[in-house]
Amino acid sequence: MGSLFRSEEMTLCQLFLQSEAAYACVSELGELGLVQFRDLNPDVNAFQRKFVNEVRRCDEMERKLRYLEKEIKKDGIPMLDTGESPEAPQPREMIDLEATFEKLENELREVNQNAEALKRNFLELTELKHILRKTQVFFDEQEVGLNTTTESMTRALITDEARTGHSMGPVQLGFLEKSREQLTEDYLPCFVAGVILRERLPAFERMLWRACRGNVFLRQAMIEAPLEDPSNGDQVYKSVFIIFFQGDQLKTRVKKICEGFRATLYPCPEAPADRREMAMGVMTRIEDLNTVLGQTQDHRHRVLVAAAKNLKNWFIKVRKIKAIYHTLNLFNLDVTQKCLIAECWVPVLDIETIQLSLRRGTERSGSSVPPILNRMQTFENPPTYNRTNKFTKAFQALIDAYGVATYREMNPAPYTIITFPFLFAVMFGDFGHGMIMALFGLWMIRKEKGLAAQKTDNEIWNIFFGGRYIIFLMGVFSMYTGLIYNDMFSKSLNIFGTNWKINYNVSTVMTNKDLQLNPDGKDYLQYPYPFGIDPIWQVATGNKIIFMNAYKMKISIILGVIHMIFGVAMSYQNHKYFKNHVAVVYEFIPQVIFLVLLFFYMVLLMFIKWNRYAANNPAPYSAYCAPSILITFINMVLFKGQPEPPQNTGCYQYIYSGQGFFEPLFVLIALVCVPWMLLGKPLHIKKQRKIANIQSIQVVGNGDPETGLNPDSIVSTAAEAGGHGAGSHDNEEMSEIFIHQGIHTIEYVLGSISHTASYLRLWALSLAHAQLADVLWSMVLSIGLKQEGWLGGVMLWVVFSIWAVLTVSILVLMEGLSAFLHTLRLHWVEFQSKFYAGQGYAFQPFSFDVMLDTGSSEVASSE
């Protein structure tokens, strides 16, 4: 639990592994997930490392598995996922896996090639079937046209003989006898038939007309049913066409145009009997192909179903093998080439657990030489490691998004667990809206195992699911603040009744918009309300906004000042841990004094005013005599003093006795804190450095002057001059220290003012949320409530649906997101800036779980 408040203590270790045991030991460390390895070969190319061939083999196996996965998804076959993570196979098992994947890939590719060839043949036969059916109509029309042409020519010859009086000779008679046969043969044009994609047909027709100068005759008919493209399986729509023309020259042009538009030409007999015979043969072949295709698809399905049962486990095994060899590439070989040397960051508390894992790996490999894990001394900054569980993980992610904590720095996450949903709820305070949010978060928490197993790629859903505990707490806290505000979907809950005694009747109170509830009469206010705000304020439209404004504004300032003081107090824990006593004296103390004497004093004035002044109190503590806290604070800062009250009112000039003395004193002390923060630390460091430079050689306890300076005095002087840990300035120029301290002083002084004002967003967003909910109720839902009879019921059902959609989409989602972002800003800027540097880097251990959760086969390395 201690690591939740401060990051884990880390140490740099050197690891010696025997070559035959290295694979098994790294596998055990990957299952443990507590070791971050360093790259000891940063200048070595990735292709020149020792285990590059094994990594390439894993890449090839992963490629084959991705091919199988693509084919399985194409057929819609479910892949078995038991949720278990098998152990990494031994190196000798890689050969069996490679052989299995090679066999599956070759078999599947062969089946796919055969299926594609069969589908292509099936497509050709199907297109030929449609051509034979569609072109029959074209040929019938052509024969009718030829008969008409022959009869017309014969009629013309007989008419010419009667007109001229000359009888036809034997040639003319022979022509008449052979006219039908010879005309059919001489004047019947050539033709080609085929199919083309439907979207290409208009351009195809225009090109034929232009290239052949109108000397072709095109007929086309659509194929109603879509055809399957054998190359990619897409459904395409095609049309049958037939082109009539004369001469070989046009024939060449037509075929080139068909080839350019990727139209497929098929042979089509001229005789009807031949066409019928061909159609019967085509139908027979189509039936045979359907049978063969069905058997091929059944075989493919069986292969894929068998592969789908083990595909997930195969992926896990291959990725684990690949991750192990990637990690082994970070190691160095000793001179004997029999031992691998690694350097790694490990948590101090887990060293024994890591050693046990190394022993298990050694036993699995059968090696007799135990691994050696030695702690090393280093001046490098260790990585930051905060242990989290499924509850604290989301809150820690909010902190890390701003910046990873410096090593051993105070972690804001445990405090954020409470302050984040509470400050959100102050802005989002509505019992109804909070209940919707809490139920949504509770649903995700209850169903988290099933939802986590789905592993969707939707980023928005993953964000919601990852923050399910944050959403649940924000909803619960919003329900609490909603009860405090007595606000539920912009309406009040009359739980305890009202503590106002009103002499007006109900109609006067509900209809008179100018009526204001005056609390200064003894007959009106009986006693304080038990919990939250009295529901009578819901109908006090005249002064409800004024009252809620003052109430929420003061609450925002109070919460903000307390939050900032807590942040400054957290800085003391950092200074104390790093033994930075200089920062305690010259930073923490003046910061606390400055913040308390100015802004916390203003908060105390609010409580004093609430305690002393009331509507029923007589002068000088009546409501009329109550001063404005803002004006009082401004006069205090400007040394103007408090204005005297009017004569004969009985009011006091000051809220409490001694106010005129203490306020100028507080401001003067706060002003003294500014040069204290600005010059104190740099001047102290300068003085200590000067003392260290003129330090004479001291005799140590044994009286031996050859040992030089006293080590204890040197350490003490260095600690006083620059401190330790995060506050060290040993190698920094004095000019840089002065500039750095000046920037921090200005940032803190001005930030104290701006940050206090920034907390007013709690008031502003709370008021805006309440007013928006009220507008949505009065402008939408009230329309359905005003209707009567059966029409009113239907109207209410429709209006309620609209109101519910707008409530969830606008007031819960959009307003919730806005309040979330403002709360995030209050923590990152106003709170964490007081103590949190966030200049560290995250601990990224070699972990199979992390690798598999991210869905990546690559391991975090510096390659």
Side-chain angles (χ1 to χ4, degrees):
M1 187 64 181
S3 64
L4 186 62
F5 296 93
R6 198 182 296 277
S7 62
E8 287 276 353
E9 185 178 355
M10 307 294 292
T11 183
L12 183 64
C13 294
Q14 194 172 35
L15 180 62
F16 297 89
L17 298 172
Q18 288 296 314
S19 297
E20 61 271 12
Y23 181 93
C25 290
V26 173
S27 174
E28 290 291 336
L29 294 179
E31 298 289 349
L32 189 62
L34 289 174
V35 178
Q36 177 179 334
F37 292 99
R38 301 174 63 188
D39 190 1
L40 301 183
N41 307 296
D43 300 327
V44 179
N45 190 289
F47 299 100
Q48 297 175 345
R49 303 206 176 193
K50 179 176 177 58
F51 300 99
V52 63
N53 291 328
E54 285 78 3
V55 174
R56 287 178 175 175
R57 290 167 62 189
C58 292
D59 286 334
E60 181 64 17
M61 287 191 291
E62 201 170 11
R63 181 196 63 78
K64 295 174 181 177
L65 289 177
R66 285 196 299 269
Y67 171 73
L68 291 173
E69 183 182 31
K70 183 184 70 173
E71 296 296 322
I72 290 172
K73 289 182 177 179
K74 185 188 295 184
D75 283 17
I77 300 173
M79 288 177 285
L80 180 64
D81 187 4
T82 59
E84 300 177 356
S85 179
E87 294 184 354
Q90 294 298 319
R92 57 181 176 272
E93 296 180 30
M94 284 183 61
I95 301 175
D96 297 335
L97 290 176
E98 286 177 319
T100 301
F101 301 157
E102 182 74 19
K103 178 182 177 182
L104 283 174
E105 185 191 28
N106 292 337
E107 185 176 4
L108 192 57
R109 288 190 181 278
E110 183 180 358
V111 171
N112 287 342
Q113 290 175 358
N114 293 336
E116 184 177 352
L118 292 172
K119 288 181 179 179
R120 194 173 300 280
N121 196 1
F122 180 80
L123 176 65
E124 293 175 354
L125 291 173
T126 304
E127 290 177 348
L128 181 57
K129 178 187 71 173
H130 286 290
I131 286 176
L132 295 174
R133 289 181 179 178
K134 301 291 184 181
T135 55
Q136 182 63 40
V137 180
F138 303 152
F139 282 111
D140 292 342
E141 294 176 354
Q142 186 69 18
E143 289 178 1
V144 172
L146 284 174
N147 292 336
T148 304
T149 302
T150 305
E151 293 175 358
S152 300
M153 292 178 64
T154 306
R155 192 180 305 111
L157 289 173
I158 296 172
T159 304
D160 186 66
E161 179 185 0
R163 181 177 56 81
T164 57
H166 299 287
S167 60
M168 290 180 287
V171 177
Q172 288 83 359
L173 292 174
F175 171 77
L176 286 175
E177 292 175 359
K178 300 179 180 180
S179 60
R180 292 187 180 276
E181 292 78 6
Q182 289 182 351
L183 280 175
T184 302
E185 182 178 355
D186 295 340
Y187 289 94
L188 182 64
C190 300
F191 67 91
V192 293
V195 293
I196 190 173
L197 289 176
R198 193 176 298 177
E199 58 268 18
R200 297 178 183 173
L201 189 58
F204 177 65
E205 189 173 359
R206 287 194 299 270
M207 180 60 71
L208 281 173
W209 180 264
R210 293 171 181 173
C212 300
R213 301 185 180 182
N215 293 320
V216 295
F217 181 60
L218 172 68
R219 294 296 305 273
Q220 57 90 15
M222 291 187 297
I223 301 176
E224 292 78 7
L227 303 177
E228 181 182 354
D229 189 347
S231 58
N232 52 26
D234 294 340
Q235 299 292 323
V236 295
Y237 288 88
K238 294 187 176 183
S239 295
V240 173
F241 67 86
I242 185 169
I243 306 172
F244 295 96
F245 53 85
Q246 285 185 342
D248 293 336
Q249 187 175 6
L250 285 179
K251 182 177 182 180
T252 304
R253 290 185 186 180
V254 167
K255 287 189 175 181
K256 286 184 177 179
I257 294 172
C258 293
E259 182 180 354
F261 280 86
R262 297 182 182 178
T264 307
L265 299 179
Y266 291 95
C268 183
E270 299 181 17
D274 295 340
R275 287 197 296 273
R276 285 193 296 271
E277 184 179 356
M278 179 179 285
M280 294 175 62
V282 167
M283 294 302 297
T284 303
R285 293 179 60 188
I286 288 176
E287 292 177 0
D288 296 340
L289 274 178
N290 274 327
T291 304
V292 178
L293 269 175
Q295 295 174 352
T296 304
Q297 291 296 334
D298 290 342
H299 178 62
R300 168 189 162 88
H301 187 76
R302 286 193 298 270
V303 172
L304 293 179
V305 167
K309 295 179 180 179
N310 301 310
L311 189 67
K312 292 289 185 182
N313 288 340
W314 286 340
F315 262 122
I316 294 174
K317 289 181 179 180
V318 171
R319 286 172 178 169
K320 284 187 176 182
I321 296 172
K322 185 178 178 182
I324 292 172
Y325 282 118
H326 263 297
T327 304
L328 290 175
N329 277 333
L330 307 179
F331 296 2
N332 265 341
L333 281 171
D334 69 338
V335 293
T336 62
Q337 302 289 318
K338 295 182 179 179
C339 180
L340 289 172
I341 305 173
E343 292 182 4
C344 53
W345 291 105
V346 298
V348 174
L349 296 178
D350 296 316
I351 291 180
E352 293 184 3
T353 306
I354 294 170
Q355 290 176 340
L356 289 175
S357 297
L358 292 174
R359 282 197 212 103
R360 285 197 302 268
T362 305
E363 292 173 0
R364 284 178 54 191
S365 63
S367 175
S368 59
V369 181
I372 301 174
L373 185 67
N374 292 329
R375 297 182 63 173
M376 301 171 59
Q377 297 294 329
T378 180
F379 292 101
E380 295 185 22
N381 289 327
T384 301
Y385 175 46
N386 296 104
R387 295 183 192 269
T388 58
N389 52 33
K390 62 182 180 180
F391 175 72
T392 59
K393 183 178 180 181
F395 292 97
Q396 188 66 52
L398 290 179
I399 304 302
D400 293 341
Y402 173 80
V404 179
T406 308
Y407 177 65
R408 300 294 288 170
E409 187 178 30
M410 286 297 293
N411 183 21
Y415 315 103
T416 305
I417 293 174
I418 298 300
T419 59
F420 190 91
F422 179 72
L423 292 182
F424 171 87
V426 173
M427 293 182 276
F428 195 74
D430 188 291
F431 185 84
H433 301 154
M435 181 173 59
I436 295 174
M437 187 174 290
L439 289 176
F440 177 62
L442 183 62
W443 173 77
M444 289 190 291
I445 292 172
R446 293 292 302 273
K447 302 290 185 181
E448 63 181 9
K449 290 185 178 180
L451 296 175
Q454 294 179 3
K455 296 180 181 180
T456 178
D457 295 333
N458 191 315
E459 293 186 8
I460 297 178
W461 167 253
N462 289 334
I463 292 174
F464 277 116
F465 182 71
R468 56 192 179 278
Y469 289 99
I470 298 179
I471 294 174
F472 174 70
L473 286 183
M474 290 191 305
V476 171
F477 277 67
S478 297
M479 293 170 65
Y480 169 75
T481 54
L483 291 176
I484 293 292
Y485 297 154
N486 203 351
D487 209 356
M488 180 176 181
F489 298 118
S490 77
K491 295 300 176 184
S492 295
L493 296 173
N494 194 2
I495 301 176
F496 303 102
T498 179
N499 286 358
W500 286 80
K501 183 180 179 182
I502 305 174
N503 294 327
Y504 302 102
N505 55 30
V506 176
S507 61
T508 303
V509 173
M510 299 301 294
T511 58
N512 192 343
K513 301 298 183 183
D514 298 327
L515 178 64
Q516 292 190 1
L517 299 175
N518 192 356
D520 59 0
K522 295 183 180 180
D523 295 333
Y524 291 88
L525 184 61
Q526 298 177 16
Y527 49 86
Y529 200 68
F531 184 80
I533 294 177
D534 196 304
I536 198 65
W537 286 103
Q538 183 66 34
V539 296
T541 57
N543 57 352
K544 174 186 175 182
I545 300 297
I546 299 174
F547 169 75
M548 297 300 294
N549 259 350
Y551 170 74
K552 292 183 178 180
M553 185 188 300
K554 290 181 175 64
I555 289 295
S556 301
I557 296 298
I558 293 171
L559 294 177
V561 172
I562 294 175
H563 201 210
M564 289 191 296
I565 292 176
F566 179 66
V568 176
M570 295 279 288
S571 67
Y572 172 75
Q573 298 296 327
N574 282 331
H575 302 327
K576 180 181 177 181
Y577 177 81
F578 292 116
K579 300 179 181 180
N580 193 355
H581 306 295
V582 176
V584 173
V585 177
Y586 296 105
E587 288 183 357
F588 170 71
I589 294 178
Q591 286 177 358
V592 170
I593 293 175
F594 182 86
L595 197 60
V596 169
L597 293 185
L598 290 183
F599 299 99
F600 188 71
Y601 173 74
M602 180 175 61
V603 171
L604 288 179
L605 290 179
M606 296 180 188
F607 284 101
I608 294 173
K609 179 180 177 181
W610 284 342
N611 184 56
R612 288 200 168 188
Y613 296 90
N616 296 331
N617 291 350
Y621 299 114
S622 63
Y624 176 78
C625 296
S628 171
I629 300 299
L630 180 60
I631 300 301
T632 301
F633 181 75
I634 293 175
N635 290 333
M636 180 187 81
V637 175
L638 298 178
F639 296 97
K640 295 179 65 174
Q642 303 307 323
E644 295 185 3
Q647 296 292 334
N648 302 324
T649 58
C651 299
Y652 290 156
Q653 181 181 5
Y654 296 105
I655 301 177
Y656 63 93
S657 60
Q659 182 181 358
F661 169 77
F662 286 111
E663 286 185 349
L665 180 63
F666 289 164
V667 176
L668 288 175
I669 296 175
L671 291 177
V672 171
C673 292
V674 177
W676 187 356
M677 290 185 285
L678 181 63
L679 302 174
K681 183 177 178 179
L683 292 178
H684 179 83
I685 294 174
K686 184 178 181 180
K687 178 182 177 181
Q688 293 300 324
R689 287 185 177 182
K690 185 176 181 180
I691 294 175
N693 289 334
I694 64 174
Q695 184 89 28
S696 60
I697 297 178
Q698 300 178 1
V699 179
V700 296
N702 57 7
D704 186 3
E706 296 181 0
T707 56
L709 295 175
N710 190 338
D712 296 334
S713 65
I714 295 175
V715 172
S716 176
T717 305
E720 293 178 358
H724 295 278
S728 179
H729 299 279
D730 294 337
N731 300 323
E732 198 171 353
E733 296 289 338
M734 284 305 304
S735 60
E736 295 181 359
I737 294 177
F738 273 101
I739 294 173
H740 188 266
Q741 192 66 22
I743 293 173
H744 275 276
T745 302
I746 295 173
E747 180 184 8
Y748 181 80
V749 173
L750 297 181
S752 298
I753 303 172
S754 63
H755 292 174
T756 304
S758 182
Y759 279 93
L760 289 175
R761 69 185 68 239
L762 299 174
W763 153 62
L765 265 74
S766 175
L767 189 65
H769 183 80
Q771 290 303 307
L772 188 58
D774 186 50
V775 168
L776 194 62
W777 181 286
S778 60
M779 297 187 64
V780 178
L781 194 59
S782 61
I783 298 176
L785 295 174
K786 292 177 181 178
Q787 301 292 332
E788 297 181 357
W790 67 270
L791 181 61
V794 176
M795 190 72 176
L796 180 61
W797 184 84
V798 175
V799 172
F800 177 80
S801 302
I802 299 174
W803 175 82
V805 171
L806 293 177
T807 297
V808 174
S809 60
I810 297 178
L811 294 180
V812 177
L813 289 179
M814 294 180 62
E815 284 285 312
L817 179 61
S818 175
F820 177 87
L821 295 177
H822 283 283
T823 309
L824 198 62
R825 182 241 154 77
L826 289 177
H827 280 79
W828 281 358
V829 179
E830 278 72 23
F831 174 60
Q832 291 177 197
S833 63
K834 303 295 186 297
F835 68 95
Y836 188 72
Q839 296 177 352
Y841 63 99
F843 176 60
Q844 297 178 337
F846 170 61
S847 173
F848 290 144
D849 292 337
V850 174
M851 178 196 66
L852 296 175
D853 286 342
T854 55
S856 172
S857 60
E858 296 294 332
V859 179
S861 63
S862 58
E863 294 184 0

